[in-house]
Amino acid sequence: MAVLFVILVGAGAWVTFTGPGPQVSDSDATIDRTDLSVRLNDEWDLPESANDSVQTCITSGTPGDSIGVYGTVTVTVPVQDGFDRADHDYQVVMTLVDVGETTTKTGDYSGRETVRFFWIVEDDETLAVGETTTVRIRVRDGPEVLAESTQNVVVEEGDQTFDCEDAAIRESDRHSVDV
């Protein structure tokens, strides 16, 4: 009986002093894979139109005078059994270190997840095509950093394409303004 009493007291003390433990361990979270590109487009040229016409255009690519960050980040954030995922989420925080800009995407605790980034930042003339820039990626749970990775990415030249239709201006649509 004395041995059983000592075992129960020891187990109770262990649970009391150690607690249930963290739900997510920062040593368990990982940034498994990144596939990112940084594109700089200094140009801000609109396509030419014929006289007396209006253009309707659809454009794609990196907008003029901007930096685009495109790609995916795959993270693994394992959780212990009994963790209530409905009340928790985490953030994947991406920082363009040289530019000083940060964006955040929210994920849920589902184990392994791929977060997609399509991020446009105004060009502050810090970056140049062909130079290397630093991208820092952090996985955060509130103030706690679960995982961190730094990646050097070569800045590519961004481009922008236009698919336009010209429409002739009718005389009734013309407006003149006297200044």
Side-chain angles (χ1 to χ4, degrees), residues 26-105:
D26 53 345
S27 63
D28 293 338
T30 58
I31 298 171
D32 300 324
R33 183 169 184 248
T34 59
D35 183 15
L36 300 173
S37 67
V38 177
R39 298 181 193 152
L40 172 65
N41 190 355
D42 284 328
E43 302 300 319
W44 187 250
D45 294 330
L46 295 175
E48 301 269 335
S49 66
N51 288 337
D52 294 333
S53 68
V54 172
Q55 285 188 340
T56 302
C57 298
I58 297 175
T59 184
S60 62
T62 309
D65 203 27
S66 67
I67 302 165
V69 180
Y70 310 94
T72 59
V73 176
T74 303
V75 299
T76 301
V77 184
V79 295
Q80 296 176 359
D81 292 335
F83 183 71
D84 186 4
R85 292 181 178 125
D87 293 337
H88 292 85
D89 53 20
Y90 63 89
Q91 297 80 38
V92 178
V93 181
M94 179 184 295
T95 303
L96 282 172
V97 175
D98 299 325
V99 178
E101 294 284 343
T102 299
T103 190
T104 303
K105 296 280 185 170

Side-chain angles (χ1 to χ4, degrees), residues 2-178:
V3 171
L4 181 60
F5 177 75
V6 169
I7 291 172
L8 289 175
V9 169
W14 180 78
V15 169
T16 301
F17 292 116
T18 63
Q23 296 297 326
V24 178
S25 169
D26 53 345
S27 63
D28 293 338
T30 58
I31 298 171
D32 300 324
R33 183 169 184 248
T34 59
D35 183 15
L36 300 173
S37 67
V38 177
R39 298 181 193 152
L40 172 65
N41 190 355
D42 284 328
E43 302 300 319
W44 187 250
D45 294 330
L46 295 175
E48 301 269 335
S49 66
N51 288 337
D52 294 333
S53 68
V54 172
Q55 285 188 340
T56 302
C57 298
I58 297 175
T59 184
S60 62
T62 309
D65 203 27
S66 67
I67 302 165
V69 180
Y70 310 94
T72 59
V73 176
T74 303
V75 299
T76 301
V77 184
V79 295
Q80 296 176 359
D81 292 335
F83 183 71
D84 186 4
R85 292 181 178 125
D87 293 337
H88 292 85
D89 53 20
Y90 63 89
Q91 297 80 38
V92 178
V93 181
M94 179 184 295
T95 303
L96 282 172
V97 175
D98 299 325
V99 178
E101 294 284 343
T102 299
T103 190
T104 303
K105 296 280 185 170
T106 301
D108 59 20
Y109 283 102
S110 59
R112 187 177 171 109
E113 183 175 7
T114 299
V115 180
R116 300 190 189 299
F117 282 91
F118 177 81
W119 181 31
I120 304 294
V121 178
E122 186 176 338
D123 179 19
D124 67 353
E125 308 302 325
T126 302
L127 301 180
V129 173
E131 290 183 347
T132 301
T133 188
T134 303
V135 179
R136 183 174 53 235
I137 301 163
R138 290 182 174 160
V139 178
R140 298 182 65 97
D141 181 9
E144 182 182 4
V145 176
L146 304 177
E148 183 172 355
S149 174
T150 302
Q151 182 175 5
N152 292 325
V153 179
V154 175
V155 178
E156 300 172 34
E157 185 170 351
D159 62 351
Q160 191 172 28
T161 58
F162 295 91
D163 181 15
C164 299
E165 280 185 21
D166 286 339
I169 299 176
R170 296 181 311 218
E171 197 60 41
S172 62
D173 292 338
R174 291 184 191 268
H175 299 284
S176 63
V177 177
D178 294 328

